[in-house]
Amino acid sequence: MEDEVGKSESTTRDVNKEKISHAGQIVVVTNFLYKGYSVLPEGEQRNVNDTDGIRGDLALEMLDKALGLGVKVVASDGGSSADFLKKLESFIGEELILIDSSSSDRGYQRRNAFERAIQIPGKEVIVYVQPEKVLLIDFLTEISKPILEGQAEIVIPKRDPVLFEETYPRYMRESELRVNKTYDWLMRKAGLMTKDQSFDWFFGPVVFKNDPEIVSLFLKEYEVVGSIKSRIGAETNPEKYSGGHYFPIIEALFKGKKVVSVEIPFRYPETQQKNEMFGKVRAQFIERRKMDAASYRLETLHFLAFLKGDPKSKIREVF
């Protein structure tokens, strides 16, 4: 019998929960893709290898937490199951704005959601977060503060190193630390960061000011001309990887914008950690992380060359 990781429960928002300060100035943006999500009979537990089920449940928990704090959420869905979309129905309206995406590519989904989020009146801060990162919602005020106080234009949240080590799968932590180190080195080599600067690039969330110049960086679309492949066969596609996420941060640094780091005591969800450490699932995630890391590095190298006007770059902006 396969291991089980917790009950599938309906999501009930606590409408009496105290709203956070500045809730009216913050909008959370995320993207969904849970093709294999299914609603379980009441009381039944999910198998530990049910990746889409576990992640989908976490996404619903994240929505419940954010909306309960009075924060609007704009989400782009790239083709989730009917069961997952049914679960979203109770959230849709004034609180959740759901955008159906014609593509499962994250870059396309992000742009669509950003374009809608910036139109909401009074929103000064856009918080992009992967939907499973439930506990990040507890620190919306902290990660938005530098922007609200005029001290930054982009914030890259940073994980507490002790909790990072304690709550993440070891292979994931080691992979992300390596790629973080590589990105820091590339930025310093390009003259975009000083030696004392370091970012937790692959934590994932990014916070930016709802300002036309900054927003424009996150709305740009890029493509690869020809093919860029690594020695291990990893391919590049900004629509799947860096577009609307890492490229805007790098261009902001290139343009001299104020990018800062804010450390938070983030814990990785226990159900997700168990899933990513389970048998074949673990092996699949290890391979995926290896290929993804190579793809991100290659895209970054070519994007830096693109910013400098190097004709050898295979990255092009799509107009």
Side-chain angles (χ1 to χ4, degrees), residues 257-292:
K257 302 302 179 183
K258 185 66 173 177
V259 181
V260 303
S261 175
V262 173
E263 185 175 303
I264 58 173
F266 178 82
R267 292 178 178 271
Y268 203 57
E270 184 177 356
T271 54
Q272 192 172 359
Q273 193 240 37
K274 287 181 177 180
N275 167 253
E276 293 169 359
M277 290 295 291
F278 181 79
K280 290 182 179 180
V281 176
R282 180 179 184 275
Q284 292 167 359
F285 272 105
I286 289 175
E287 180 63 18
R288 175 182 158 186
R289 293 225 157 233
K290 181 175 73 173
M291 300 299 280
D292 284 356

Tab-separated table of all heavy atoms in Angstrom, residues 257-292:
chain	number	residue	atom	x	y	z
A	257	LYS	N	18.379	49.705	-11.795
A	257	LYS	CA	17.235	49.799	-10.892
A	257	LYS	C	17.591	49.190	-9.533
A	257	LYS	O	18.492	48.379	-9.407
A	257	LYS	CB	16.012	49.094	-11.483
A	257	LYS	CG	15.591	49.632	-12.844
A	257	LYS	CD	15.276	51.123	-12.786
A	257	LYS	CE	14.874	51.667	-14.153
A	257	LYS	NZ	14.636	53.135	-14.103
A	258	LYS	N	16.838	49.591	-8.526
A	258	LYS	CA	17.111	49.155	-7.163
A	258	LYS	C	16.453	47.801	-6.908
A	258	LYS	O	15.225	47.693	-6.817
A	258	LYS	CB	16.586	50.193	-6.170
A	258	LYS	CG	16.914	49.891	-4.711
A	258	LYS	CD	18.398	49.952	-4.416
A	258	LYS	CE	18.694	49.819	-2.941
A	258	LYS	NZ	20.126	49.810	-2.633
A	259	VAL	N	17.288	46.768	-6.792
A	259	VAL	CA	16.823	45.409	-6.525
A	259	VAL	C	17.401	44.987	-5.178
A	259	VAL	O	18.616	45.042	-4.974
A	259	VAL	CB	17.270	44.428	-7.626
A	259	VAL	CG1	16.746	43.023	-7.337
A	259	VAL	CG2	16.802	44.904	-8.998
A	260	VAL	N	16.533	44.572	-4.255
A	260	VAL	CA	17.001	44.228	-2.916
A	260	VAL	C	16.498	42.845	-2.516
A	260	VAL	O	15.591	42.273	-3.128
A	260	VAL	CB	16.541	45.262	-1.861
A	260	VAL	CG1	17.027	46.656	-2.230
A	260	VAL	CG2	15.024	45.232	-1.692
A	261	SER	N	17.091	42.327	-1.452
A	261	SER	CA	16.732	41.031	-0.902
A	261	SER	C	16.095	41.208	0.468
A	261	SER	O	16.526	42.050	1.254
A	261	SER	CB	17.993	40.159	-0.784
A	261	SER	OG	17.715	38.937	-0.141
A	262	VAL	N	15.047	40.427	0.767
A	262	VAL	CA	14.420	40.428	2.082
A	262	VAL	C	14.323	38.975	2.555
A	262	VAL	O	13.670	38.151	1.899
A	262	VAL	CB	13.014	41.064	2.051
A	262	VAL	CG1	12.321	40.879	3.404
A	262	VAL	CG2	13.100	42.540	1.703
A	263	GLU	N	14.971	38.674	3.669
A	263	GLU	CA	14.955	37.304	4.183
A	263	GLU	C	13.690	37.044	4.993
A	263	GLU	O	13.274	37.883	5.797
A	263	GLU	CB	16.181	37.049	5.057
A	263	GLU	CG	16.299	35.600	5.540
A	263	GLU	CD	17.575	35.349	6.310
A	263	GLU	OE1	18.678	35.601	5.750
A	263	GLU	OE2	17.483	34.909	7.481
A	264	ILE	N	13.113	35.869	4.784
A	264	ILE	CA	11.907	35.484	5.527
A	264	ILE	C	12.055	34.044	6.024
A	264	ILE	O	12.728	33.232	5.388
A	264	ILE	CB	10.633	35.603	4.663
A	264	ILE	CG1	10.738	34.732	3.405
A	264	ILE	CG2	10.359	37.053	4.309
A	264	ILE	CD1	9.462	34.669	2.585
A	265	PRO	N	11.400	33.712	7.141
A	265	PRO	CA	11.488	32.340	7.687
A	265	PRO	C	10.520	31.390	6.982
A	265	PRO	O	9.532	30.914	7.560
A	265	PRO	CB	11.124	32.541	9.161
A	265	PRO	CG	10.209	33.718	9.166
A	265	PRO	CD	10.711	34.629	8.068
A	266	PHE	N	10.817	31.105	5.727
A	266	PHE	CA	9.932	30.273	4.914
A	266	PHE	C	10.209	28.790	5.144
A	266	PHE	O	11.357	28.350	5.145
A	266	PHE	CB	10.116	30.596	3.428
A	266	PHE	CG	9.279	29.751	2.508
A	266	PHE	CD1	7.955	30.068	2.271
A	266	PHE	CD2	9.824	28.624	1.891
A	266	PHE	CE1	7.173	29.283	1.424
A	266	PHE	CE2	9.047	27.834	1.050
A	266	PHE	CZ	7.720	28.175	0.818
A	267	ARG	N	9.127	28.022	5.307
A	267	ARG	CA	9.209	26.572	5.434
A	267	ARG	C	8.580	25.911	4.209
A	267	ARG	O	7.503	26.304	3.780
A	267	ARG	CB	8.466	26.088	6.688
A	267	ARG	CG	9.114	26.492	8.001
A	267	ARG	CD	8.269	26.017	9.181
A	267	ARG	NE	8.904	26.361	10.447
A	267	ARG	CZ	9.776	25.578	11.074
A	267	ARG	NH1	10.109	24.403	10.541
A	267	ARG	NH2	10.315	25.957	12.219
A	268	TYR	N	9.252	24.924	3.677
A	268	TYR	CA	8.727	24.186	2.533
A	268	TYR	C	7.572	23.304	3.009
A	268	TYR	O	7.655	22.688	4.068
A	268	TYR	CB	9.828	23.313	1.943
A	268	TYR	CG	9.626	22.929	0.496
A	268	TYR	CD1	9.466	23.896	-0.483
A	268	TYR	CD2	9.623	21.587	0.106
A	268	TYR	CE1	9.313	23.547	-1.811
A	268	TYR	CE2	9.469	21.224	-1.221
A	268	TYR	CZ	9.314	22.207	-2.179
A	268	TYR	OH	9.159	21.857	-3.498
A	269	PRO	N	6.474	23.219	2.245
A	269	PRO	CA	5.336	22.397	2.670
A	269	PRO	C	5.736	20.931	2.875
A	269	PRO	O	6.387	20.335	2.011
A	269	PRO	CB	4.352	22.537	1.506
A	269	PRO	CG	4.712	23.820	0.845
A	269	PRO	CD	6.196	23.935	0.978
A	270	GLU	N	5.332	20.377	4.000
A	270	GLU	CA	5.728	19.003	4.331
A	270	GLU	C	5.182	17.992	3.322
A	270	GLU	O	5.877	17.040	2.944
A	270	GLU	CB	5.235	18.652	5.731
A	270	GLU	CG	5.690	17.282	6.211
A	270	GLU	CD	5.247	16.977	7.631
A	270	GLU	OE1	4.648	17.866	8.272
A	270	GLU	OE2	5.490	15.845	8.093
A	271	THR	N	3.930	18.189	2.865
A	271	THR	CA	3.364	17.243	1.906
A	271	THR	C	4.125	17.265	0.589
A	271	THR	O	4.331	16.229	-0.054
A	271	THR	CB	1.880	17.556	1.639
A	271	THR	OG1	1.743	18.932	1.237
A	271	THR	CG2	1.040	17.297	2.876
A	272	GLN	N	4.565	18.462	0.171
A	272	GLN	CA	5.322	18.576	-1.070
A	272	GLN	C	6.707	17.961	-0.920
A	272	GLN	O	7.210	17.303	-1.832
A	272	GLN	CB	5.435	20.053	-1.472
A	272	GLN	CG	5.945	20.260	-2.889
A	272	GLN	CD	5.867	21.711	-3.324
A	272	GLN	OE1	5.415	22.566	-2.585
A	272	GLN	NE2	6.308	21.989	-4.532
A	273	GLN	N	7.311	18.151	0.247
A	273	GLN	CA	8.621	17.569	0.486
A	273	GLN	C	8.562	16.048	0.435
A	273	GLN	O	9.403	15.387	-0.171
A	273	GLN	CB	9.160	18.031	1.848
A	273	GLN	CG	10.636	17.715	2.031
A	273	GLN	CD	10.875	16.807	3.205
A	273	GLN	OE1	10.096	15.908	3.477
A	273	GLN	NE2	11.972	17.035	3.906
A	274	LYS	N	7.535	15.460	1.054
A	274	LYS	CA	7.380	13.999	1.047
A	274	LYS	C	7.165	13.487	-0.369
A	274	LYS	O	7.706	12.458	-0.769
A	274	LYS	CB	6.216	13.591	1.950
A	274	LYS	CG	6.502	13.733	3.432
A	274	LYS	CD	5.300	13.282	4.260
A	274	LYS	CE	5.607	13.363	5.748
A	274	LYS	NZ	4.437	12.936	6.578
A	275	ASN	N	6.351	14.208	-1.140
A	275	ASN	CA	6.096	13.831	-2.532
A	275	ASN	C	7.381	13.820	-3.347
A	275	ASN	O	7.657	12.890	-4.119
A	275	ASN	CB	5.078	14.795	-3.146
A	275	ASN	CG	4.976	14.682	-4.659
A	275	ASN	OD1	5.440	15.560	-5.383
A	275	ASN	ND2	4.378	13.611	-5.129
A	276	GLU	N	8.207	14.855	-3.160
A	276	GLU	CA	9.411	14.997	-3.975
A	276	GLU	C	10.566	14.111	-3.498
A	276	GLU	O	11.617	14.077	-4.130
A	276	GLU	CB	9.814	16.471	-4.016
A	276	GLU	CG	8.781	17.298	-4.777
A	276	GLU	CD	8.978	18.791	-4.634
A	276	GLU	OE1	9.910	19.209	-3.918
A	276	GLU	OE2	8.188	19.544	-5.232
A	277	MET	N	10.344	13.410	-2.402
A	277	MET	CA	11.341	12.462	-1.907
A	277	MET	C	10.894	11.014	-2.106
A	277	MET	O	11.560	10.071	-1.670
A	277	MET	CB	11.604	12.705	-0.416
A	277	MET	CG	12.334	13.996	-0.118
A	277	MET	SD	14.018	14.010	-0.793
A	277	MET	CE	14.797	12.785	0.265
A	278	PHE	N	9.773	10.803	-2.790
A	278	PHE	CA	9.179	9.475	-2.891
A	278	PHE	C	9.601	8.762	-4.172
A	278	PHE	O	9.294	9.201	-5.277
A	278	PHE	CB	7.659	9.573	-2.851
A	278	PHE	CG	6.950	8.243	-2.915
A	278	PHE	CD1	6.844	7.442	-1.790
A	278	PHE	CD2	6.409	7.787	-4.108
A	278	PHE	CE1	6.198	6.211	-1.848
A	278	PHE	CE2	5.757	6.566	-4.171
A	278	PHE	CZ	5.655	5.773	-3.046
A	279	GLY	N	10.324	7.665	-4.043
A	279	GLY	CA	10.616	6.722	-5.121
A	279	GLY	C	10.858	7.305	-6.492
A	279	GLY	O	11.768	8.116	-6.702
A	280	LYS	N	10.011	6.910	-7.451
A	280	LYS	CA	10.176	7.344	-8.840
A	280	LYS	C	9.980	8.846	-8.986
A	280	LYS	O	10.589	9.477	-9.855
A	280	LYS	CB	9.190	6.610	-9.737
A	280	LYS	CG	9.493	5.127	-9.906
A	280	LYS	CD	8.494	4.488	-10.858
A	280	LYS	CE	8.805	3.013	-11.050
A	280	LYS	NZ	7.844	2.358	-11.979
A	281	VAL	N	9.121	9.414	-8.146
A	281	VAL	CA	8.889	10.859	-8.200
A	281	VAL	C	10.194	11.597	-7.920
A	281	VAL	O	10.538	12.571	-8.604
A	281	VAL	CB	7.797	11.283	-7.200
A	281	VAL	CG1	7.639	12.799	-7.189
A	281	VAL	CG2	6.476	10.614	-7.543
A	282	ARG	N	10.941	11.125	-6.922
A	282	ARG	CA	12.214	11.736	-6.562
A	282	ARG	C	13.185	11.700	-7.743
A	282	ARG	O	13.835	12.707	-8.071
A	282	ARG	CB	12.820	11.026	-5.358
A	282	ARG	CG	14.169	11.587	-4.902
A	282	ARG	CD	14.678	10.834	-3.678
A	282	ARG	NE	15.909	11.404	-3.165
A	282	ARG	CZ	17.121	11.090	-3.623
A	282	ARG	NH1	17.246	10.201	-4.599
A	282	ARG	NH2	18.192	11.666	-3.107
A	283	ALA	N	13.281	10.554	-8.384
A	283	ALA	CA	14.187	10.419	-9.528
A	283	ALA	C	13.800	11.363	-10.659
A	283	ALA	O	14.656	11.976	-11.303
A	283	ALA	CB	14.185	8.972	-10.021
A	284	GLN	N	12.500	11.502	-10.885
A	284	GLN	CA	12.024	12.403	-11.941
A	284	GLN	C	12.353	13.857	-11.622
A	284	GLN	O	12.765	14.615	-12.508
A	284	GLN	CB	10.509	12.230	-12.115
A	284	GLN	CG	10.103	10.894	-12.692
A	284	GLN	CD	8.612	10.624	-12.569
A	284	GLN	OE1	7.857	11.441	-12.028
A	284	GLN	NE2	8.170	9.477	-13.069
A	285	PHE	N	12.190	14.237	-10.350
A	285	PHE	CA	12.479	15.615	-9.961
A	285	PHE	C	13.974	15.914	-10.029
A	285	PHE	O	14.380	17.020	-10.401
A	285	PHE	CB	11.938	15.908	-8.558
A	285	PHE	CG	10.517	16.394	-8.557
A	285	PHE	CD1	9.478	15.555	-8.156
A	285	PHE	CD2	10.198	17.672	-8.966
A	285	PHE	CE1	8.168	15.998	-8.164
A	285	PHE	CE2	8.888	18.129	-8.976
A	285	PHE	CZ	7.863	17.276	-8.571
A	286	ILE	N	14.800	14.948	-9.659
A	286	ILE	CA	16.253	15.154	-9.732
A	286	ILE	C	16.671	15.396	-11.180
A	286	ILE	O	17.446	16.320	-11.475
A	286	ILE	CB	17.002	13.947	-9.139
A	286	ILE	CG1	16.836	13.917	-7.614
A	286	ILE	CG2	18.490	13.994	-9.505
A	286	ILE	CD1	17.435	12.691	-6.954
A	287	GLU	N	16.162	14.590	-12.099
A	287	GLU	CA	16.491	14.753	-13.512
A	287	GLU	C	15.960	16.083	-14.050
A	287	GLU	O	16.654	16.797	-14.791
A	287	GLU	CB	15.913	13.594	-14.320
A	287	GLU	CG	16.197	13.647	-15.811
A	287	GLU	CD	17.666	13.556	-16.173
A	287	GLU	OE1	18.474	13.116	-15.322
A	287	GLU	OE2	18.020	13.937	-17.307
A	288	ARG	N	14.744	16.409	-13.670
A	288	ARG	CA	14.151	17.666	-14.135
A	288	ARG	C	14.948	18.870	-13.642
A	288	ARG	O	15.171	19.820	-14.398
A	288	ARG	CB	12.699	17.752	-13.640
A	288	ARG	CG	12.013	19.069	-13.945
A	288	ARG	CD	10.607	19.083	-13.392
A	288	ARG	NE	10.112	20.438	-13.209
A	288	ARG	CZ	8.953	20.722	-12.634
A	288	ARG	NH1	8.173	19.763	-12.185
A	288	ARG	NH2	8.582	21.984	-12.487
A	289	ARG	N	15.380	18.823	-12.380
A	289	ARG	CA	16.149	19.946	-11.829
A	289	ARG	C	17.473	20.091	-12.551
A	289	ARG	O	17.934	21.214	-12.785
A	289	ARG	CB	16.354	19.752	-10.328
A	289	ARG	CG	15.048	19.836	-9.566
A	289	ARG	CD	15.189	20.690	-8.326
A	289	ARG	NE	13.854	21.177	-7.950
A	289	ARG	CZ	13.562	22.425	-7.742
A	289	ARG	NH1	14.470	23.347	-7.903
A	289	ARG	NH2	12.351	22.796	-7.385
A	290	LYS	N	18.101	18.980	-12.883
A	290	LYS	CA	19.376	19.043	-13.603
A	290	LYS	C	19.198	19.699	-14.971
A	290	LYS	O	19.981	20.576	-15.359
A	290	LYS	CB	19.943	17.631	-13.773
A	290	LYS	CG	21.281	17.588	-14.488
A	290	LYS	CD	21.862	16.177	-14.512
A	290	LYS	CE	21.099	15.299	-15.471
A	290	LYS	NZ	21.741	13.968	-15.639
A	291	MET	N	18.160	19.292	-15.689
A	291	MET	CA	17.917	19.855	-17.015
A	291	MET	C	17.483	21.316	-16.938
A	291	MET	O	17.936	22.159	-17.719
A	291	MET	CB	16.851	19.021	-17.729
A	291	MET	CG	17.223	17.551	-17.923
A	291	MET	SD	18.715	17.307	-18.918
A	291	MET	CE	18.034	17.511	-20.561
A	292	ASP	N	16.592	21.629	-15.979
A	292	ASP	CA	16.124	23.013	-15.819
A	292	ASP	C	17.275	23.951	-15.493
A	292	ASP	O	17.359	25.065	-16.034
A	292	ASP	CB	15.069	23.099	-14.714
A	292	ASP	CG	13.711	22.581	-15.152
A	292	ASP	OD1	13.563	22.224	-16.332
A	292	ASP	OD2	12.806	22.528	-14.298
